[in-house]
Amino acid sequence: MPTKEKIKTFPELEAIIVSKSSQIDLLVVGGGPAGLTAGIYGARAGLKVLIVEKALLGGQVSSTFMIENYPGFPNGIAGQELTQQMEAQARRLGVETSWGNVSQIKPGKNSFTTYVDDKQIKSKAVIIASGADSKKLGVAGEDHFRGRGVSYCAVCDGPFYKDKNIMVVGGGNAAIEEALYLTRFAAKVQVLHRRNKLRADKMLELRARANSKIFFVWNAIIKEITGEEKVTEVLVEDTQTKKNRKVKCDGIFVYIGSSPNTEFIKDTIKLNKAGYIKTDAKLQTSVPGIFAAGDVLDKRLRQIVTAAADGALAAQSAKDFIEGSV
Ligand code: NAP
């Protein structure tokens, strides 16, 4: 009697797709949504992919409480859960990961050498998906009180501010989303913005305005952060009258945007004035074989969904480059 052919399950099929080569085809710098998606698409295209990450896989999204605008999750999804799922998907497809700081990428004749701490890793193509880090205010007391009243992560530190009086600096989506999140803990959340109009989406603004714990301080910037053991007060300047006043507060959450992690590549590829990477429509940088994806790109909309789309396109372009079809 002929034996029934066993139906292959999803992981078994993928194991066939993933390259068994010991040489890295595609090295991805950064394991946020852009890097993980590049890994998923690269592996499915049969490439041996290594993602090098300096901190946590998932990037900034991992510390975002709730994502409400990534398609497929009508009730939203926790940032950490979303990135854990992306990581699991990449690993299932055979994507490898390594931890370390990338200091340089050197283009060679037929390969690239990436310097990761004291290791050198060769690959046929590279995708830079190194993202962006939180911008600092650059005022006196900010570094001194970091972790003692100054924070850049509401999800990490919000629970320490139960019934406290806190300040969120910034007027973008991140500031307003995190201010809303912080109302779970704090008694009062003052949103301090340098203009009198928010940059954040209207929907978020309406939600914040309707929240009885949130107060807006318009046309204001922080000049100094003071305290003893912990933050107790900030010096606030009115940007119109230039008058300063002291405001009592227990904590300051800074959400004034981010700056790209491109220091390690700034002498190798073209960047714009602000340090973001310039690419062509296929996401290839000024050096053939080096591609870029996600928040590190010179682009208008920095979202998880656009980072994922960039990762897919960059991986496809890297595959074409490796196969000599670009
Ligand atoms: P952002 O949109 O660039 O907003 C930064 C805010 O900080 C702006 O209001 C800006 O003021 C203010 N600011 C900048 N430098 C400052 C300084 N030195 N002192 C005081 N205020 C300063 O940054 P983001 O909110 O981090 O968002 C980054 C990207 O991620 C955006 O594309 C955003 O849409 C996206 N994002 C999306 C979501 C979401 O859709 N769920 C959530 C978070 C982030 P001005 O307005 O005067 O320039």
Side-chain angles (χ1 to χ4, degrees), residues 60 64 66-69 135-137 169-178 192-195 197-201 204 220-222 255-258 295 300-303:
Q60 284 192 351
T64 302
M66 190 56 75
I67 311 292
E68 287 185 340
N69 55 4
K135 264 201 225 158
K136 288 172 144 198
L137 291 167
V169 188
N173 278 333
I176 306 306
E177 260 185 8
E178 303 308 322
L192 196 103
H193 183 35
R194 64 182 177 183
R195 293 187 290 141
K197 194 173 182 303
L198 293 179
R199 181 179 290 276
D201 294 348
L204 282 173
I221 53 169
I222 289 188
Y255 284 104
I256 59 168
S258 42
D295 284 5
R300 191 168 169 268
L301 190 62
R302 295 192 175 84
Q303 299 281 299

Side-chain angles (χ1 to χ4, degrees), residues 3 22 30 43 82 95 101 143 147 149 155 200 239-240 243 259 269 324:
T3 51
S22 60
L82 180 62
V95 174
N101 263 307
D143 286 340
V155 173
T239 56
Q240 301 201 309
K243 280 195 176 143
S259 45
I269 60 173

Side-chain angles (χ1 to χ4, degrees), residues 158-167 179-190 211 213-214 250 253:
F160 298 122
Y161 293 87
K162 196 157 168 29
D163 299 326
K164 303 277 187 201
N165 173 10
I166 56 181
M167 214 170 242
L180 283 161
Y181 171 71
L182 287 164
T183 59
R184 292 165 172 249
F185 314 103
K188 180 177 175 185
V189 179
Q190 298 186 68
N211 191 307
K213 284 189 179 178
I214 294 183
D250 303 301
F253 287 80

